[in-house]
Structure formats: structure tokens, C-alpha cells
């Protein structure tokens, strides 16, 4: 465990270039974490018995049932239902923000989360794809259970430029239209589009039979608003520039931000989605185990 | 500097308005703060804009309100310290009614101010109350100096000060003195204060002089028609001068105007003639006024007299001298409205017998002098006279003698001259006779070595009929002849005398018609030397020279006796003085370091003895501000009483009317002026004071707003 933090520490990860190496380091950390936490196997839930057919792994035969019924049955587990997971990564311009004290931009942080999820999913014999979007879907990697999916993710992220405006509502609808099977969608975004329709779109995701996790990635400065001298705020995604004395509005801003976060969390809850919040200076060692323990390793919720 | 800015609005210190520029400081800081900013690329812009939209109006309002409050605080402060005043259309003045004033407050401290008034207290305490009232009611910003009219006048608070508490403390401690009041010195002090104030920019420009006096003529006559007139006019040109007359009602006042004794150095058994002059200073008659004679504060005789209005009475006492020593004879009259002039003192020294040694040129040459001093020797005579030649006196103890008389032609050697010098310094009296037998070179040589006589003998004057000039009989040597022109003094035959070159301290007692002195004296240490420059003769001497016929003339005996008496009185005369004159004394042994002097009020002063070039110790005491007995206690146990009396001129209640003052000094409207000067401000709160209230309100508002904004920012 003593080596774990370095894999998850954003400061450490930020110093590693290119993304492929950074992702590998994180993945190693995740692997080490899974090994040490013995999550593997324990999270595979028993589903039913089925009659043995030739070719089945003899290790899966339930010998107790055989002793009682004199017939061969094998145990069938939930993970065998072949989970399909899509990390949906917001690559709009607002994700390119990095505060003075943050080691990574929100997008860089989101990319690492996506890599970690993809790795965990594929390591469970499930399939993971990738969708990136801003005001519309930009990249759609079909799901794959092979290890090459990690290389695909890194390749996509390395060519990604955060520059467009966000339209979560439109992007989510577009994703729903493109999905053929029920999937686990992990939405990684800052949720700062200012458009409230996407919160309604969350419900559509659930109604369409998909499972949804919302991970809101924010910079610490966006929460604490630590500025003390007069500041010119240059808006991203085409928003205007404003000048103000931050000290005069800091308290009001912090209150408004807290309300916004609560509202999003509440909306996710109402939509049946799990909500997680991460700040870019937060160690992934804290965030990822929570995420993995609560959802991914348990598989798809019925 | 008073400047009217708008109609009716003026400022006492307009330059203080410059501080109003400071009101722009918050604005400048605000603008500077706006210029300093840094740039941030911001993602959560939708949220920020929503917050700004919601908060911007409140923030802008609070910001401007805070800015305005801070600017207003500085602006109001600048206006307040500029001492604004506002003259309303109806003539009423709001705010500081006038620019600040430098008050020069002069209180008459002459002893006539001690007169009691019917309302209780004295004229002086009434003056003090008026001064304290003015100081208390004067507005902030006024400065004060206080002086007391005295002899000479003295500054009580000499440096103008704004600290009224300390001024009041000084005024409260003032007591009138037994002096008169000298307006000339008072005006000099006032002039100095005005001139110095002009050079000190922080002091008020406007000077007002208030003089509180009982308007005694003795004080004010120099201003009305004397030498002080010019100074007064100059003063009234440079300052607003007001005289506040505090005149007591006519109440009984009597006093001892004079106390005269026939001699200050009587002998035991001698009956002293004491004349007490009692004067009624009021216009009310008095019957049966007790007059008491005291010796060393013990009553020895008393008498009752009647006094007509403003009249005088002479009361004669005969006072037998019973024992030797220093005494104080005093005369006291009954109590009245002004006690200060009710007593008078004279210090005397009583001797057992008058011991005279005549040093003869040759045996029996001094017989004339012996006869002149004691023409009819009796066993009970107060004179004890002995004649000795120069040779005989070489071994004589000088302390056995009160008076030494040197006959004409006595040749002194240096040792004898030295011994005579010491004899006089220790309090002895020396009479020196110079005539045809005198050797001027011998005397002049000795005189150059050690000045005993105080003059050089230039040579015998030409022979002629000299006529004696009694010099208005001022000297006690000839004063008994005053009023008796036929007593033989003026007609005394005088044909020749010694011309001298005298020192300034040599006093002429008897002169001649050719401006050459006949009798002179000089004080030396505790004693004195009296010189006759034409020794008495009854006819031609053994060489046939005739310088005068004094010894054959009726004036001889009284003249010689008075010479000795006056000489001896001189040693005691210094024990009697008037208020304001310094007391002086000496000790032969200058090694005695200090003299303890006890004043009439019981105050004790340790006086350090200064050593004179001749080795004699000498002390001096200047602060004779009160009349009465001052006792000097010497380390050897000797106590010598000094009598200090006051001039009774102040008691004669002649007063000057304020109208008589030149350029009338606003004397008529003094009270009105005083009321205006201090009262108006006391009744109406100054505009500046209101502004300070406003300022306090603004500060509270700024604090509350700041706290509210601060709370919201947290």
C-alpha cells in the first residue's frame, strides 16, 4: 500500500508525459489496489445454476449440487452477463481550466478517470468503449473487452483538444440514439454548461434502460473562489469577460456554487444516477476506490 | 486669519480647509485599486455571471456609500478644524462667534485690593472670580497670559498657553502683595507678550487685554497724565484693552501713616520719643480709635483718638529703654476694612552706654571734641568718653568702643589703619576730623591700600568765608536744625576746608555754598565713617591757623552729637525698609555659610552668604512682598529683626474714573465686552461642535456599514 499514493497522486501523474505513460502508471496503481484489496471474485455475484455442457470449466461445477442430485450443474455469475461500459468524457473548452494550485486540467483529470474505469471494466472480462463530446458527440469508440481498448483510449485522448461549447443535453440524446444495448454510462463532466436541460436528459438515460454514473470534475478554485484582488475573468466557451472585485462576491459565489452542486446531486439522485464529485487536486487514491467499490466492481445494477 | 467664504459663512482658520483635500484620498485609493487587476480564464462563468447579476447592485451601492462616507468624514473634519461660523440673516451668529483670542489678563495686586467688600471677600477675590469666570467661559482655541500689577508688575503666566486648567490653577494661587502697582512695568510685559505672539504663528492674532483693578490713583495716575500715557496709547492701538473697575463701597479705613523714633540706637535709660501718625483714609469720622504701642509684639502703651474724615492725628509716646539689644517698636490701630495698613514697625538697637574713644594728635588735643560730645559730664551720663594718643591706642581693644573719633592730625600707621578698618566693618562708628594738622599724603597712601574714608584728600580749599549749606536738612546730622534757622548752623564761621575726590558711595551730609562738602559719610560693612573736612576749632591753633570757629559756635554741640548719633543710627537704618526693597546684612566672619530668614508669614528662607572682595560675608533678600518683621537668624545665635513697612499711598482711596483713561480703553463697556467675549459662545453651541457631532455620526455609520459588508464577505 505504501506505493499506492504515487500512482494516484495528481501531482505525480501531472509530471508524467505522455498520456500513455501516465495512464499506465495509473492502471498499475489500480491493479495493485485491486490485488491488495482482494476485490476480484468477491464482487462477482452468483446468479443461477445451469446444466453442465461439454466445454464448461470443470472448476465451475457445483459439487455440492452434484452430491445431492447426482447431476452436473455449473454456477452462473452475474459478470458473465458481459457488462458494456461507456465513459462519456466532456471535452468542451471549460474542461481545459486549471486553477493556479491545480496540477491537472479538469480534462486531464477526467481522462485519467476514464482510463481507470476502462481498465477495471475490461479486467473483469467486460467491455468498455469511449465517448467524448462537447456540444455533440466527437468520438465514439465501440466497446471492447480486450486490453487494446486502453491504447485506443490513450490515442483518442492524445488527439483531443478542448475547444467547443458544451451541450450536454444534445450530446446525451445523441448517445442514447447510438446505443444498441443497455450499457453503463459514466458521465465525466464539470457540469458547468449553464444549461439545465441536460439534467432532464439524465432521466432519459435511465428510461432508456441504461445505468448512469455522473462524475463531476471541478477545480478547487471553482469551489473556493480564492481571489483577493480585482480580477478580469475571461469567459470560456464563448461566455463574456467580466471584471469584478472577487472579495465582494466571494461569499455569494461560494453559496451559489454550493447550491449548484447540491442541486446536481439531487437531480442525479432523482434520475437514479450515482453522483460523485472530484476536484483536480484530489488524490485518485481516495476517489477511485470509492467509485470502484460502490459501482463498477459490483457490475450492473438491476 | 478669518476668511469669509460665502455670504455669512466664514472660517476662523481658513487654511485648515486645505485638509479638505484629504477627502479625495479615499477616491484616489478607490481608483488606484480599480487599476490593479489580474486576468483569469474562467470556466464557471455562468455561475459567476449569475452571482454578479444578483449582487452587483448591492455591491455598487455599498461601495459608493462607503466611499462617500469616508470622503465626508475627511471633509467634515477639515471644515470643523477650520472653525466655521455662520452669520444668519437676522444677525444671529452660529458657530464660533469670533476668531480665537489671546487674552492678557491683568489683576491689580496692590495692597488696596485687600479691602473687604460688603458682599464678602475682598476686592482681590472678586477680581479673581471675574478672571476665572472669563477663562471658564472662553471658547476652545483662546490662549491666556496672566500678570499681576505690582511693584514691579510680574507675569504669573508669562508664556501664552491654551491650557486653561493650569492657568486657573495659577490664578487660584494668586495673593495680593503689600506693594503698590506699577502700570509701566505691567504695560512693558503686555507689550512683550503682544510682540512675541506676533512671531508665533500658532497663537491667536487677536489680542485682548483685560485689567481688573480698584482704579487707585496711585496705580493709574501715570497712565492718565504721566509717563505711562504713551505706552498706554500704543497698547490700545495694538490690542483691545478693557478695564474692569472693581471699586469697593466707602467703608471705614484707618492706618498708621508714619512711625517716627527720635533715634534708632538709644541707650539704656534713655527715653525714646515715639510719634505715631494715624490717618483716616475714609470719609467717615471715627471716635475712640485705639492706638497701641508695642515693643517686640508686647503692648507697652495705648491711647484712643478721634479722627475726622480724611484727617490725621499725631500720637506721642515716650518709651523708656530698659535693656540693651535689638527691639522692634510697632504701632497698631484697630481693625477695619483694610487691615494691611493698620500697623507699622521700626527696628532699633538699644545700647547700655555710648562708649567713645577720642584718639588725639597729642595729649589733650581732643578736649574740645570731648566737651562737644558731653558738655556736662555726670555720673549717670550715657556717654563714656576716653581720650588716648596714637601711641596709647596701639594696644587698645577696639571692641570696647562704639565710636572712635580721630582728632585732626592723627598720623596712622598701616597697622592702625588696618585695625580701624576692621573695627568699622564689624559695626563700629568712626568720626574722622581733617584740619590744618592733617597730612594728606599719609592718608592718601593708606586710602589707596585700603579704602576706609572713601575719598582722597586733594588739598586745602582756598581761604574764604564759606557758608554752610544744610542740603534741605535731609541728613540726620543737621535734621534737628530744620525749622530753626537761627540756631546757628548756617551762620557757623567756616574759612577753610579740605577738597576731596570722593567715591560714589560717599554721601554728603553737609555742604557749602561753593559746592564743596563739609561733612560726608560712607558705610562700610556693618559700620560707617563720618568725616569732617574742617575739624572744629575754637580759635587759632598752635601754628596760628584758623580754619573755622565751629567749636565756639552754638551749633557745635548739637552738630557733633548728631554726627555721632546719625553715624550710629546708620548701622541700624538698614534694618528698616519698605515693601519691595531688598533686605541686606552681613557677617564679619564670611565662613558662616547661611542665614535663616523668617518672613512675617512664617516662611523660612535659607540665604547663602556671598563673600565680598574684602572677605566680608554678605546676604541679600529681595522678596519683601509683605510688611512686618523679618528675622535674620545667624549661625552664632544672633537674631536681628528687620522692619518692613508699606507705603500708605495706596490706602488713600483716590480713584481714577475709567473715563479719564486716554483713548478710553473701552472702560465703559468692559463688562458688556467681557460678556460678549465669553458668554455668547457659552450659550450657543459652536457650529464646529455640531460638526464634530456629525463627524462622530459619520464614523459610526462607516463602522456599521463596514461591519455589515465584512460580515457578508465572510
Amino acid at each position: 500500500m505504501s506505493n499506492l499514493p504515487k500512482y494516484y497522486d495528481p501531482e505525480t501523474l501531472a509530471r508524467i508525459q505522455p498520456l500513455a505513460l501516465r495512464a499506465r502508471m495509473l492502471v498499475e496503481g489500480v491493479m495493485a489496489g485491486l490485488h491488495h484489496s482482494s476485490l476480484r471474485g468477491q464482487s462477482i455475484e452468483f446468479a443461477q445454476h445451469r446444466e453442465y455442457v461439454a466445454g464448461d470449466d470443470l472448476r465451475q461445477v457445483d459439487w455440492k449440487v452434484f452430491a445431492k442430485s447426482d447431476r452436473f450443474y455449473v454456477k452462473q455469475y452475474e459478470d458473465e452477463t458481459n457488462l458494456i461500459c461507456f465513459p462519456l468524457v466532456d471535452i468542451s473548452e471549460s474542461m481545459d481550466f486549471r486553477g493556479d494550485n491545480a496540477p491537472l486540467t479538469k480534462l486531464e483529470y477526467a481522462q485519467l478517470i476514464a482510463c481507470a474505469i476502462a481498465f477495471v471494466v475490461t479486467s473483469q472480462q467486460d467491455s468498455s468503449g469511449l465517448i467524448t463530446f462537447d456540444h455533440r458527440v466527437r468520438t465514439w469508440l465501440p466497446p471492447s473487452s480486450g486490453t487494446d481498448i486502453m491504447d485506443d483510449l490513450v490515442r483518442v485522448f492524445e488527439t483531443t483538444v478542448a475547444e467547443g461549447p458544451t451541450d450536454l443535453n444534445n450530446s446525451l440524446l445523441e448517445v442514447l440514439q447510438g446505443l444498441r444495448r443497455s450499457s453503463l454510462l459514466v458521465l465525466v463532466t464539470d457540469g458547468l454548461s449553464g444549461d439545465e436541460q441536460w439534467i432532464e436528459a439524465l432521466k432519459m438515460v435511465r428510461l432508456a434502460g441504461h445505468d448512469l454514473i455522473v462524475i463531476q470534475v471541478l477545480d478547487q478554485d471553482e469551489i473556493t473562489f480564492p481571489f483577493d484582488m480585482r480580477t478580469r475573468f475571461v469567459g470560456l466557451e464563448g461566455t463574456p469577460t467580466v471584471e469584478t472585485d472577487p472579495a465582494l462576491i466571494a461569499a455569494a459565489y461560494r453559496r451559489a456554487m454550493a447550491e449548484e452542486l447540491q442541486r446536481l446531486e439531487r437531480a442525479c439522485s432523482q434520475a437514479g444516477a450515482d453522483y460523485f464529485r472530484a476536484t483536480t487536486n484530489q488524490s485518485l487514491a481516495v476517489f477511485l476506490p470509492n467509485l470502484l467499490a460502490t459501482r463498477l466492481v459490483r457490475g450492473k445494477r438491476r | 486669519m478669518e476668511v469669509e467664504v460665502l455670504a455669512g459663512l466664514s472660517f476662523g482658520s481658513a487654511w485648515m480647509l486645505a485638509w479638505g483635500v484629504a477627502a479625495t484620498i479615499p477616491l484616489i485609493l478607490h481608483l488606484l485599486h480599480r487599476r490593479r487587476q489580474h486576468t483569469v480564464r474562467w470556466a464557471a462563468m455562468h455561475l459567476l455571471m449569475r452571482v454578479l447579476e444578483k449582487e452587483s447592485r448591492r455591491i455598487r451601492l455599498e461601495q459608493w456609500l462607503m466611499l462617500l462616507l469616508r470622503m465626508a468624514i475627511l471633509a467634515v473634519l477639515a471644515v470643523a478644524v477650520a472653525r466655521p461660523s455662520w452669520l444668519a440673516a437676522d444677525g444671529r451668529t452660529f458657530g464660533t462667534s469670533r476668531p480665537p483670542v489671546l487674552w492678557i489678563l491683568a489683576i491689580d495686586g496692590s495692597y488696596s485690593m485687600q479691602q473687604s467688600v460688603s458682599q464678602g471677600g475682598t476686592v482681590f477675590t472678586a477680581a479673581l472670580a471675574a478672571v476665572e469666570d472669563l477663562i471658564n467661559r472662553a471658547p476652545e482655541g483662546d490662549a491666556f497670559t496672566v500678570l499681576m500689577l505690582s511693584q514691579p508688575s510680574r507675569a504669573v503666566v508669562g508664556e501664552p498657553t491654551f491650557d486653561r486648567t493650569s492657568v486657573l490653577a495659577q490664578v487660584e494661587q494668586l495673593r495680593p502683595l503689600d506693594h503698590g502697582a506699577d502700570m509701566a512695568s505691567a504695560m512693558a510685559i503686555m507689550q512683550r507678550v503682544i510682540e512675541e505672539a506676533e512671531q508665533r504663528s500658532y497663537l491667536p492674532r487677536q489680542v485682548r487685554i483685560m485689567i481688573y483693578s480698584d482704579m487707585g490713583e496711585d496705580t493709574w495716575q501715570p497712565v492718565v497724565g504721566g509717563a505711562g500715557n504713551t505706552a498706554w496709547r500704543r497698547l490700545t492701538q495694538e490690542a483691545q484693552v478693557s478695564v474692569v473697575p472693581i471699586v469697593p463701597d466707602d467703608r471705614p479705613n484707618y492706618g498708621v501713616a508714619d512711625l517716627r523714633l527720635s533715634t534708632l540706637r538709644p541707650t539704656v535709660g534713655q527715653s525714646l520719643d515715639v510719634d505715631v501718625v494715624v490717618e483716616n483714609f475714609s470719609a467717615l469720622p471715627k471716635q475712640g480709635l485705639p492706638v497701641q504701642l508695642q515693643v517686640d509684639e508686647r503692648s507697652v502703651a495705648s491711647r484712643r483718638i478721634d479722627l475726622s474724615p480724611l484727617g490725621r492725628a499725631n500720637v506721642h509716646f515716650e518709651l523708656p529703654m530698659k535693656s540693651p539689644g535689638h527691639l522692634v517698636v510697632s504701632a497698631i490701630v484697630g481693625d477695619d476694612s483694610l487691615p494691611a495698613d493698620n500697623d507699622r514697625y521700626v527696628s532699633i538697637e538699644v545700647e547700655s552706654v555710648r562708649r567713645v574713644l577720642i584718639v588725639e594728635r597729642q595729649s589733650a588735643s581732643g578736649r574740645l571734641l570731648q566737651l562737644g560730645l558731653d558738655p556736662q559730664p555726670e555720673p549717670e551720663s550715657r556717654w563714656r568718653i576716653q581720650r588716648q594718643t596714637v601711641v596709647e591706642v596701639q594696644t587698645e581693644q577696639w571692641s570696647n568702643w562704639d565710636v572712635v573719633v580721630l582728632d585732626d592730625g592723627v598720623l596712622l600707621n598701616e597697622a592702625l589703619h588696618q585695625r580701624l578698618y576692621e573695627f568699622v566693618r564689624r559695626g563700629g562708628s568712626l568720626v574722622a576730623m581733617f584740619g590744618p594738622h592733617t597730612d594728606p599724603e599719609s592718608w592718601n597712601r593708606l586710602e589707596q591700600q585700603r579704602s576706609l574714608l572713601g575719598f582722597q584728600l586733594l588739598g586745602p580749599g582756598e581761604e574764604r568765608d564759606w557758608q554752610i549749606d544744610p542740603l534741605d536738612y535731609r541728613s540726620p546730622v543737621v535734621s534737628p536744625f530744620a525749622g530753626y534757622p537761627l540756631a546757628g548752623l548756617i551762620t557757623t564761621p567756616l574759612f577753610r576746608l579740605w577738597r576731596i575726590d570722593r567715591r560714589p558711595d560717599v554721601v554728603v551730609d553737609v555742604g557749602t555754598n561753593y559746592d564743596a562738602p563739609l561733612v560726608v559719610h560712607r558705610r562700610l560693612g556693618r559700620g560707617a565713617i563720618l568725616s569732617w573736612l574742617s575739624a572744629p576749632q575754637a580759635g587759632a591753633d598752635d601754628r596760628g591757623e584758623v580754619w573755622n570757629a565751629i567749636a565756639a559756635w552754638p551749633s557745635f554741640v548739637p552738630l557733633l552729637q548728631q554726627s555721632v548719633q546719625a553715624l550710629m543710627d546708620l548701622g541700624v537704618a538698614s534694618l528698616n525698609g519698605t515693601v519691595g526693597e531688598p533686605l541686606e546684612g552681613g557677617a564679619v566672619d564670611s565662613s558662616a555659610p547661611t542665614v535663616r530668614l523668617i518672613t512675617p508669614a512664617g516662611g523660612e528662607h535659607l540665604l547663602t552668604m556671598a563673600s565680598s572682595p574684602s572677605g566680608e560675608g554678605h546676604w541679600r533678600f529681595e522678596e519683601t512682598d509683605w510688611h512686618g518683621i523679618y528675622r535674620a537668624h545667624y549661625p552664632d545665635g544672633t537674631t536681628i529683626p528687620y522692619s518692613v513697612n508699606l507705603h500708605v499711598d495706596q490706602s488713600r482711596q483716590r480713584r481714577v474714573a475709567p473715563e479719564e483713561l486716554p483713548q478710553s480703553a473701552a472702560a465703559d463697556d468692559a463688562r458688556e465686552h467681557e460678556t460678549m467675549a465669553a458668554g455668547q459662545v457659552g450659550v450657543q453651541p459652536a457650529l464646529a461642535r455640531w460638526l464634530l457631532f456629525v463627524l462622530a455620526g459619520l464614523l459610526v455609520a462607516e463602522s456599521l456599514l463596514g461591519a455589515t459588508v465584512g460580515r457578508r464577505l465572510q
Side-chain angles (χ1 to χ4, degrees), chain A residues 94-163:
Chain A
S94 66
M95 291 295 285
D96 194 32
F97 177 75
R98 181 170 69 85
D100 290 341
N101 300 314
L104 301 169
T105 65
K106 291 188 286 185
L107 179 58
E108 288 168 338
Y109 197 86
Q111 288 168 344
L112 290 174
I113 291 173
C115 289
I117 290 169
F119 171 75
V120 170
V121 168
T122 53
S123 66
Q124 293 180 164
Q125 311 304 319
D126 291 326
S127 301
S128 177
L130 173 70
I131 299 170
T132 63
F133 67 92
D134 44 29
H135 62 282
R136 64 184 179 82
V137 172
R138 291 291 182 185
T139 309
W140 190 304
L141 282 181
S144 165
S145 57
T147 52
D148 55 340
I149 187 66
M150 288 300 296
D151 297 332
D152 294 338
L153 256 64
V154 169
R155 181 174 43 77
V156 169
F157 286 144
E158 281 182 341
T159 56
T160 296
V161 178
E163 56 187 4

Side-chain angles (χ1 to χ4, degrees), chain A residues 97 192-193 221-222 229-236 239-240 243-244 247-249 251 253 256-257 260, chain B residues 33-34 36-52 55 59 63 712-714:
Chain A
F97 177 75
L192 297 175
S193 67
D221 287 359
E222 291 175 318
M229 66 183 297
R230 192 170 178 82
T231 306
R232 184 165 175 264
F233 293 95
V234 179
L236 303 179
T239 52
E243 288 179 18
T244 187
L248 298 175
I249 58 165
Y253 175 89
M257 175 58 85
E260 184 70 17
Chain B
H33 187 62
R34 284 180 72 93
R36 289 177 58 232
Q37 62 179 20
H38 80 288
T39 302
V40 171
R41 291 175 71 245
W42 192 245
M45 190 55 83
H46 292 290
L47 186 69
L48 178 61
M49 287 172 65
R50 206 162 65 231
V51 170
L52 280 174
E55 298 288 320
I59 291 168
Q63 286 289 291
R712 200 171 296 152
L713 292 178
Q714 289 170 2

Side-chain angles (χ1 to χ4, degrees), chain A residues 12-27:
Chain A
T12 307
L13 294 170
R15 287 197 291 271
I16 298 172
Q17 297 289 346
L19 178 61
L21 284 178
R22 189 187 295 173
R24 180 177 298 278
M25 176 144 181
L26 178 66
V27 163

